[in-house]
Amino acid sequence: MAEKNRVKAVVEALTEHGAEVEIPGRPGSRSPAVGEPTEPAGPLPPKPDQRGPEPRTPTGRRDGIPPEANGQGGEFLTTAQGLRVRDSDHSLKAGARGPVLLQDHHLREKITHFDHERIPERVVHARGAAAHGVFKGYGTASAVTRAAFLGKDVETPVFVRFSTVLGSRGSADTVRDTRGFATKFYTDEGVFDLVGNNIPVFFIQDAIKFPDVIHAGKPHPDREIPQAQSAHDTFWDFVSLHTEATHHTIWNMSDRGIPRSYRTMEGFGIHTFRLVDADGGTSLVKWHWKPRAGVHSLVWEEAQLINGMDPDFHRRDLADAIEAGAFPQWELGVQVFPDTPDQMFEGVDLLDPTKLVPEELAPVQPVGLMTLNANPLNYFAETEQVAFHPGHLVPGIDITDDPLLTGRLFSYLDTQISRLGGPNFAQLPINRTHAPVNDMLRDGMHQTAVHSGAAPYKPNSLDGGCPFFAGAAEGGYTEAPVAIPAAHKVREAPASFDDHFSHARRFWLSLTPAEREHVIAAYTFELSKVWEPAIRERNLGVLANIDPVLCQEVAAGLGLPAPGPSVPLAEVEPSPALSQLGGEWPVAGRVIGIVAGPGSDLNALRTVRRAILDGGMVPLVIAPNGAPLSGDGAEEIEAQRTFANARSVEFDALLVAGAPAPGDDAKGARDAKAGIAGTAVDPRVRLMLAEAFRHAKAIGGWANASAAIEAAGIPAGSAGVVLADEPRLVWEQITGLLARHRVWDRFPAA
Ligand code: HEM
C-alpha cells in the first residue's frame, strides 16, 4: 500500500514538474528542465517511468508510442505473427490429462523465443547502467579541432553507459574495480564514441596483453570465484610480475576504485588523441570528463555492505537522480599538447597509456557540457545492445599510434559481431547514427534494412547515380597525414615505456593522509586474500618501489617483513589535482535518512523534510515499522524505510528526529523488558548511527536525539555531529558538511 502511494507521489510530482519541457535532442520526450529547481519527488519507486505526463502504468509502460516501435500495440494478445491468442496459459493437449501436442505452434513460438532471450554478455564491462542526454559545445575547441559538435552552442544527443570491468552482468555495483565511462555522441557528422574509464591510465601498454590482464582479473577458471573483484591470487600474480600495471593498480586501491556514484566520477579517454583544426593543423590531446557534483567515493566497509544491501546501488542512484530531475552533468575538457615528432610532453611519453600528464603542467580546458536527462526505456534494447568503438571518429578527431589504442580499434567490432549476432548491429535503434547512411554494406544476419537497387558497389553507373566521395569541405573524413618514421619490424616497446613506478609514486605523494590510509587498507585487504605467500611478498617488492611508508604499512598489516626498493625511488613533484579531497560541491541528489518514531515532533519533521527537498535532495523517513507517522491532526507522514530494512549505507547523512521508539525488534523489546541499559534506543538505530559515524558521515538531531547518539557510542562533541533544539539550524549545518562529502576529520590519519 505504501509503495502504491509512493508511485502515485512520484507520478504526480513528475507530471507537475515535467510537463512543459522537452528533452533537448529527444523530440517528443518530456522531463524536468536543466537548471530548474530540482525536486526529487520524495521516495522513489523501484521502477518509475520518467518521461512525461502521458498516461502510464505503474510499471512504466508508456502509451502513445506507435505499435511497431514497442511491439505492444492493439488490445489483444497476439502471436509474433499478429494472430490473436485465445489462451496463453494452457498447452494444446489430447484431453485435459493427456500429452501435449507438438502441433501447438503458439507454445513452441513462446518457449523458443524465451529460450533465446539472452545474448552473450560483454567479455568485459558486462555490468552496466546507462542514460540518455545532451552535449552542448562551448565553441572553445574550435581553435584545435574542426569537429562540428564541439562548436559553440551545438547540441548533440548522447547515450552514456557506465560499467564495472570484471564482474558478470548480475554482479554487484560497488565492488573495487575500474569503472567504464563510454559516451556515444550522435553528431550530424556521424557517431563519435569516447570509450573511457574513471581512471586515467591503464594496466598495460600494448593491446596484445589485454587477454592476459583480463584472464588474471576474472574469477579463477576452476571454481569461478571470486566474482567481480581483484582480491585473489591470479590478479596479484599478474600485476606483480608485470609491473607496468603498478600505476593503474594503485588507482584501483585508492578511493577511485569505489565511487560513491556514477554521477561523482571523473572520466578519462586515457590515450592521447590527435585533433585536426580547420586548416589541417594538428594537436595532441587527452580527454577528461569533470563531474559538476564533484568526485566522491565510498569507504570500503560501506561498499562491501552495499553489495549485500543493494547490489544495484549505482544503477539505482543514476536512474533515481535523473527521475527526480537532479540531472548529472559533466564538463568535457582537453589537455592540449603540441604535436611534436617525439610525441612527448614534459618528459611524459604521450603514447604510453600507463602515464598521465599532471593537470598542473597542462590544465584541462573545458570544451562543452554534458547533461544526462532521461533514463532508458528498455534495458535490453538500449543499455545491453549499445555498441561503442574507439574507432568511431568524426572529422577533426584522429587517433595516435598508442599500441593499446591500435589493438582496441580491432577488438570492439570483432567482439560485437559475436555478441550482437552478426554485422548489422549498427541498425539497432540505440546504435543508429543520426547522419544519413549510404554504406553499400549488404545482407548478413539480422539485416533489417530493405535495400533497393542493383548496384551496391562503387563505381557504378546504375541505380540512378553512384554516391559521391566527400572532400574535406563536404565533411569527408581525412586521416591526418602524419609521417611514419622509417623503421624495422620489431616486437619491442620504446625505452620510455620502461619506467613503471614514478607515476605511481607521484599519485601516492599527491594524496592526502586520509586517502593514503585508504590505499594502505585496500592493499592490505586485497593481499591478505592472496593465498600464495610468494605473491604477497612479490607485491610488497612492488610497493617498495612506490614508497617505503606504503610498503611498510602494508607489510605490517600482512605480518610480513618490508623489503627495500629494487630501483631508485623516483624524484617526482606531487600533483594536488590527483587528490579527490577539498572544495565544496553541489548536494543535489544526496539521500538523507531521518530516523523518526511516534514520539517525534511531526511538524519539525515536515519542515526538515521540505528543506531537504528544496535543496534538491531525497529525504527518506525511517520509522519503527511501515505505518505512516500521524497523530498531530495534520497530514500523516509516509515512512519510506523501517528499522528492519534500513541500513546506514543508503544515506549520505543521518538525522534523528527526537528520541526514536524501541521499534518492534524482538531482542530490543526483550532487552527493554529486562531493563538492559541503552535499550530505549532500538539496536538497529544504534547500529545505523554507529556505522554512519564510522563512515565519516554527517549526523544531526534535535529534541532528545542525543540519547540515541550516545547509545550508539558516539562521543559527545564529535566532529560532524550536530545537535540543536532548532531542527532548521541542524539541517543548515548538515548541508554545509554534505558539501564536503564526508567529515574527513574522523579518519584517524587526518
Ligand atoms: C584505455 C584502455 C581501455 C579502456 C578505457 C576501455 C574501456 C572500455 C569500456 C568503457 C567498455 C564498455 C563499453 C560499454 O559500456 O559497452 C569496454 C568494453 C570492451 N573493451 Fe575496452 N577498454 C580499454 C582497453 C581495451 C583493450 C586493450 C581491449 C582489447 C584489446 C578492450 C576490449 C574491450 C572489449 C572486447 C569490450 C566489450 C565491448 C562490447 O562487447 O561491446 N578494451 N572497454
Side-chain angles (χ1 to χ4, degrees):
M1 183 60 189
E3 194 59 55
K4 215 167 160 193
N5 286 339
R6 287 205 286 279
V7 173
K8 200 168 137 242
V10 172
V11 169
E12 278 168 7
L14 287 171
T15 309
E16 190 184 325
H17 295 283
E20 326 77 25
V21 189
E22 189 165 292
I23 300 171
R26 306 209 75 202
S29 56
R30 300 277 163 189
S31 184
V34 183
E36 274 192 354
T38 56
E39 179 153 340
L44 294 157
K47 188 175 179 253
D49 188 5
Q50 69 286 349
R51 262 186 265 168
E54 308 99 338
R56 72 192 81 198
T57 69
T59 57
R61 180 177 147 191
R62 278 198 305 155
D63 294 336
I65 299 181
E68 63 278 12
N70 65 7
Q72 291 167 300
E75 57 186 308
F76 295 103
L77 182 72
T78 72
T79 66
Q81 307 306 317
L83 177 71
R84 288 181 185 176
V85 171
R86 202 176 60 79
D87 179 334
S88 192
D89 297 336
H90 302 92
S91 307
L92 186 66
K93 288 184 275 187
R97 299 171 69 83
V100 173
L101 300 176
L102 185 61
Q103 63 194 240
D104 186 350
H105 177 69
H106 174 51
L107 164 71
R108 280 182 287 121
E109 183 193 69
K110 186 173 174 183
I111 299 283
T112 306
H113 194 278
F114 169 78
D115 291 344
H116 297 269
E117 267 177 16
R118 294 287 167 271
I119 60 171
E121 63 177 33
R122 288 168 178 79
V123 61
V124 284
H125 295 264
R127 167 94 185 157
H132 293 274
V134 64
F135 176 83
K136 193 168 179 179
Y138 292 159
T140 45
S142 303
V144 283
T145 176
R146 67 166 70 129
F149 79 97
L150 290 170
K152 188 164 171 45
D153 294 335
V154 176
E155 291 196 357
T156 303
V158 293
F159 187 69
V160 178
R161 183 174 180 272
F162 303 103
S163 49
T164 50
V165 179
L166 291 176
S168 61
R169 221 186 111 176
S171 57
D173 276 347
T174 63
V175 294
R176 183 177 290 285
D177 195 359
T178 306
R179 300 297 186 285
F181 188 144
T183 309
K184 192 175 280 295
F185 297 79
Y186 303 89
T187 88
D188 291 345
E189 298 181 295
V191 165
F192 168 56
D193 286 342
L194 185 49
V195 197
N197 283 341
N198 76 325
I199 287 179
V201 290
F202 205 66
F203 286 110
I204 50 173
Q205 294 164 322
D206 188 319
I208 198 168
K209 287 178 287 205
F210 193 67
D212 300 304
V213 65
I214 297 302
H215 288 170
K218 285 273 187 184
H220 290 203
D222 47 359
R223 304 181 187 189
E224 232 211 6
I225 52 175
Q227 179 59 241
Q229 48 200 291
S230 50
H232 56 104
D233 282 51
T234 53
F235 176 78
W236 289 99
D237 188 34
F238 179 81
V239 298
S240 54
L241 290 170
H242 181 80
T243 48
E244 72 196 42
T246 306
H247 192 196
H248 191 158
T249 306
I250 193 171
W251 277 78
N252 276 98
M253 294 304 115
S254 78
D255 293 346
R256 306 281 181 146
I258 41 172
R260 155 66 179 85
S261 156
Y262 291 137
R263 300 180 289 130
T264 60
M265 296 189 323
E266 282 182 295
F268 303 92
I270 301 179
H271 313 283
T272 302
F273 287 80
R274 180 172 275 109
L275 295 188
V276 186
D277 67 24
D279 301 323
T282 60
S283 319
L284 300 179
V285 297
K286 283 185 182 284
W287 298 104
H288 293 246
W289 288 112
K290 298 271 184 197
R292 280 265 166 106
V295 186
H296 305 304
S297 292
L298 300 169
V299 293
W300 181 226
E301 186 189 49
E302 204 185 3
Q304 292 177 88
L305 290 171
I306 293 172
N307 282 340
M309 287 296 295
D310 184 6
D312 306 305
F313 188 73
H314 283 156
R315 182 180 285 194
R316 188 188 311 283
D317 168 272
L318 179 69
D320 280 359
I322 293 172
E323 178 76 39
F327 297 150
Q329 292 186 312
W330 286 261
E331 238 176 7
L332 181 65
V334 281
Q335 285 182 296
V336 184
F337 319 105
D339 191 355
T340 54
D342 64 357
Q343 297 171 85
M344 304 279 289
F345 184 79
E346 298 280 343
V348 178
D349 189 332
L350 296 174
L351 297 191
D352 179 351
T354 67
K355 308 280 172 25
L356 58 79
V357 178
E359 290 182 30
E360 289 78 7
L361 297 179
V364 176
Q365 304 177 50
V367 298
L369 180 70
M370 176 168 77
T371 305
L372 297 185
N373 54 19
N375 287 313
L377 272 185
N378 183 286
Y379 187 90
F380 181 84
E382 302 179 272
T383 311
E384 194 60 15
Q385 295 200 112
V386 67
F388 297 93
H389 192 300
H392 292 165
L393 302 166
V394 290
I397 304 178
D398 205 341
I399 52 161
T400 56
D401 292 331
D402 173 340
L404 188 72
L405 176 57
T406 311
R408 295 181 73 195
L409 297 175
F410 165 74
S411 180
Y412 289 70
L413 172 58
D414 181 46
T415 196
Q416 283 151 5
I417 287 172
S418 131
R419 178 168 74 84
L420 297 166
N424 287 315
F425 56 85
Q427 295 175 5
L428 293 169
I430 195 63
N431 294 323
R432 219 179 277 155
T433 173
H434 293 194
V437 173
N438 194 354
D439 58 12
M440 292 191 171
L441 305 174
R442 292 292 182 269
D443 307 344
M445 297 274 239
H446 312 303
Q447 176 61 258
T448 54
V450 184
H451 294 112
S452 58
Y457 55 83
K458 186 170 167 60
N460 77 63
S461 60
L462 304 170
D463 286 352
C466 188
F468 300 111
F469 290 128
E474 291 130 337
Y477 186 87
T478 314
E479 288 76 9
V482 281
I484 299 177
H488 299 281
K489 284 190 207 171
V490 286
R491 288 189 186 273
E492 276 176 18
S496 57
F497 279 35
D498 290 346
D499 163 21
H500 296 172
F501 303 110
S502 70
H503 279 233
R505 178 161 172 73
R506 177 178 11 238
F507 181 69
W508 165 256
L509 293 177
S510 306
L511 299 180
T512 59
E515 290 171 301
R516 284 190 204 171
E517 185 179 87
H518 292 172
V519 171
I520 291 167
Y523 273 110
T524 310
F525 175 92
E526 298 251 330
L527 290 173
S528 69
K529 295 261 189 167
V530 168
W531 182 255
E532 289 293 337
I535 299 178
R536 270 181 261 147
E537 283 159 18
R538 202 191 305 135
N539 275 285
L540 289 177
V542 173
L543 297 187
N545 290 340
I546 302 175
D547 189 83
V549 174
L550 172 62
C551 178
Q552 284 153 18
E553 294 284 331
V554 176
L558 297 175
L560 290 171
S566 59
V567 296
L569 286 183
E571 295 281 331
V572 284
E573 278 293 309
S575 161
L578 297 177
S579 164
Q580 290 181 225
L581 262 61
E584 299 210 341
W585 301 95
V587 290
R590 291 304 177 112
V591 181
I592 315 301
I594 316 175
V595 180
S600 298
D601 172 349
L602 297 189
N603 222 19
L605 183 55
R606 283 189 199 97
T607 308
V608 171
R609 206 179 160 275
R610 189 69 251 162
I612 295 173
L613 282 167
D614 289 346
M617 285 167 270
V618 182
L620 296 180
V621 174
I622 312 161
N625 55 47
L629 299 170
S630 60
D632 64 353
E635 198 189 345
E636 59 184 27
I637 302 173
E638 287 278 347
Q640 291 80 40
R641 298 289 182 273
T642 68
F643 291 178
N645 70 15
R647 194 76 187 255
S648 70
V649 291
E650 198 181 353
F651 314 111
D652 293 292
L654 209 49
L655 303 178
V656 184
D664 56 1
D665 164 64
K667 181 175 180 307
R670 268 201 319 274
D671 287 355
K673 214 168 153 194
I676 296 172
T679 52
V681 181
D682 190 287
R684 294 163 298 184
V685 171
R686 281 185 268 145
L687 177 64
M688 255 186 281
L689 285 164
E691 276 176 2
F693 185 75
R694 198 160 66 238
H695 301 153
K697 290 176 178 172
I699 295 174
W702 54 89
N704 304 324
S706 57
I709 289 169
E710 276 164 31
I714 298 172
S718 296
V721 179
V722 185
L723 288 169
D725 292 336
E726 176 52 50
R728 223 170 220 295
L729 288 181
V730 174
W731 176 240
E732 274 168 25
Q733 288 191 53
I734 295 287
T735 317
L737 291 166
L738 272 172
R740 272 167 266 147
H741 182 54
R742 279 183 206 277
V743 184
W744 292 100
D745 300 349
R746 288 213 209 118
F747 289 115

